[in-house]
Amino acid sequence: MSEHILLTGGTGFVGRSLIPKLLLGGHTVTVLTRQHKTDLKEVKVIHRLPQGTKADYWPYTVVVNLAGENLFTKRWSTKQKQTIRDSRIALTENLVDNIHKSQCVKRFISASAIGYYGARDNETLNEQGQAGSDFAATLCKDWEAAAQKASVSTDVICLRLGVVLGSGGALENLLPPFRLGLGGPIGHGKQWFSWIHIDDLTNLIMACVEGQISAPVVNATAPQPVQNRDFAKALGHCLKRPAILPMPALAMKLLLGEVSSLLTTGQRVIPEVAQAQGFSFRYPDIDSALTDLLEKRK
């Protein structure tokens, strides 16, 4: 069934990859963005939410919320942390308020992140894993709590995203040093790296949009997480370059500040809900994912 989808974060890395699939699926897409100039085509772009009190002021039947300030844009000062929180939680609260008013939204799919679990060692984490207590974990916990307030009016799915690998995002930043043979593990390299191929992520979001997957929380990660040193080895192998030069954790902290903790620690996350509900990953292992992505770049 065709849906009218309100998409936030549509100008970002994930949003741009999602839009063509939504359109191909026969859905109508409206993108809410703060950018007043975009190159988005075949979709309507709005810069503020429609206001009103009548039931017909809100035409959207599904809301997909991917918006949020990039965690790596600036060092985490007190001011920047508040900006990060506002870009996620304040917007989500606004969306929830409109969902309550409209009473016509079937599903609200809101992004979160596996940072919810905090820094973990070797513990395998499904969607029932407990929240951590650091800044990123508290941010995700509060973000999800804001989204779940819509559950009295619609089905809510919080997607806990792992590191998304695609033509953009983390992989784009990693390729230059690895191509020069300067890549390698971060710190001791034993921290877990839970990732997902961009195609699997957009397919997973599509499954949520179309009602094939439904749960309060869904881990959006590949079924085979790897340790950071194994990811570095796999990327080096695909590029036919050595990947043995470690980036010391202290150097990362001096370079990036507190945000470096997202790189020097990790979580071993599995997508238990998605697999239990029949979702099939095209790229379940890191080798097949990197091989596909690097082939597409040639």
Side-chain angles (χ1 to χ4, degrees):
M1 181 177 177
S2 176
E3 306 290 357
H4 190 166
I5 295 158
L6 176 65
L7 173 63
T8 74
T11 58
F13 165 45
V14 175
R16 285 181 178 275
S17 297
L18 177 62
I19 287 171
K21 291 188 177 180
L22 291 172
L23 295 174
L24 190 62
H27 304 296
T28 302
V29 180
T30 297
V31 172
L32 173 66
T33 178
R34 292 176 295 176
Q35 296 184 20
H36 285 274
K37 290 185 178 180
T38 75
D39 59 356
L40 295 179
K41 299 176 181 179
E42 298 183 296
V43 300
K44 182 179 179 181
V45 176
I46 60 174
H47 305 294
R48 60 194 296 269
L49 291 173
Q51 301 296 314
T53 56
K54 296 181 180 179
D56 60 357
Y57 84 101
W58 184 271
Y60 316 113
T61 56
V62 175
V63 179
V64 180
N65 179 25
L66 303 178
E69 176 85 2
N70 189 321
L71 296 181
F72 290 91
T73 300
K74 299 178 182 178
R75 294 174 76 92
W76 283 358
S77 63
T78 300
K79 180 179 179 181
Q80 182 62 11
K81 284 183 175 180
Q82 191 59 51
T83 298
I84 289 170
R85 286 184 61 86
D86 289 345
S87 71
R88 288 162 170 77
I89 298 171
L91 173 60
T92 299
E93 290 175 340
N94 197 354
L95 290 170
V96 169
D97 182 55
N98 280 275
I99 289 169
H100 287 323
K101 289 179 182 177
S102 73
Q103 294 294 309
C104 66
V105 175
K106 301 174 184 177
R107 284 175 286 280
F108 178 36
I109 301 150
S110 191
S112 180
I114 59 172
Y116 173 95
Y117 302 110
R120 299 292 181 93
D121 293 320
N122 288 319
E123 180 183 0
T124 300
L125 300 161
N126 62 14
E127 286 82 358
Q128 302 305 312
Q130 296 298 306
S133 59
D134 58 22
F135 170 72
T138 302
L139 171 68
C140 291
K141 183 179 179 180
D142 293 347
W143 193 10
E144 291 183 17
Q148 290 294 349
K149 289 180 181 178
S151 61
V152 298
S153 300
T154 189
D155 290 335
V156 178
I157 303 172
C158 288
L159 282 177
R160 291 180 185 157
L161 274 63
V163 179
V164 184
L165 301 180
S167 183
L171 187 60
E172 199 72 25
N173 295 322
L174 289 170
L175 282 176
F178 272 81
R179 280 189 166 133
L180 293 171
L182 301 176
I186 296 173
H188 52 63
K190 296 179 182 179
Q191 68 273 32
W192 283 92
F193 182 80
S194 295
W195 58 276
I196 187 168
H197 189 295
I198 183 66
D199 287 349
D200 279 330
L201 175 57
T202 52
N203 287 339
L204 181 60
I205 295 173
M206 283 291 293
C208 293
V209 165
E210 295 176 347
Q212 297 158 14
I213 291 179
S214 182
V217 176
V218 175
N219 285 336
T221 60
Q224 297 181 32
V226 294
Q227 290 180 298
N228 180 266
R229 60 188 177 187
D230 295 322
F231 169 76
K233 182 179 178 181
L235 182 54
H237 178 75
C238 284
L239 293 170
K240 297 180 173 58
R241 295 289 189 276
I244 58 175
L245 295 175
M247 171 64 80
L250 180 58
M252 291 291 293
K253 187 170 184 180
L254 290 174
L255 180 66
L256 300 175
E258 187 181 348
V259 70
S260 67
S261 64
L262 298 181
L263 303 174
T264 57
T265 63
Q267 307 86 14
R268 187 180 189 178
V269 179
I270 58 170
E272 186 172 287
V273 168
Q275 289 187 300
Q277 296 191 20
F279 184 79
S280 178
F281 288 83
R282 291 182 62 190
Y283 305 99
D285 62 273
I286 196 66
D287 291 322
S288 65
L290 290 175
T291 298
D292 173 76
L293 292 168
L294 294 175
E295 279 292 325
K296 287 176 179 175
R297 297 178 67 90
K298 289 181 178 179

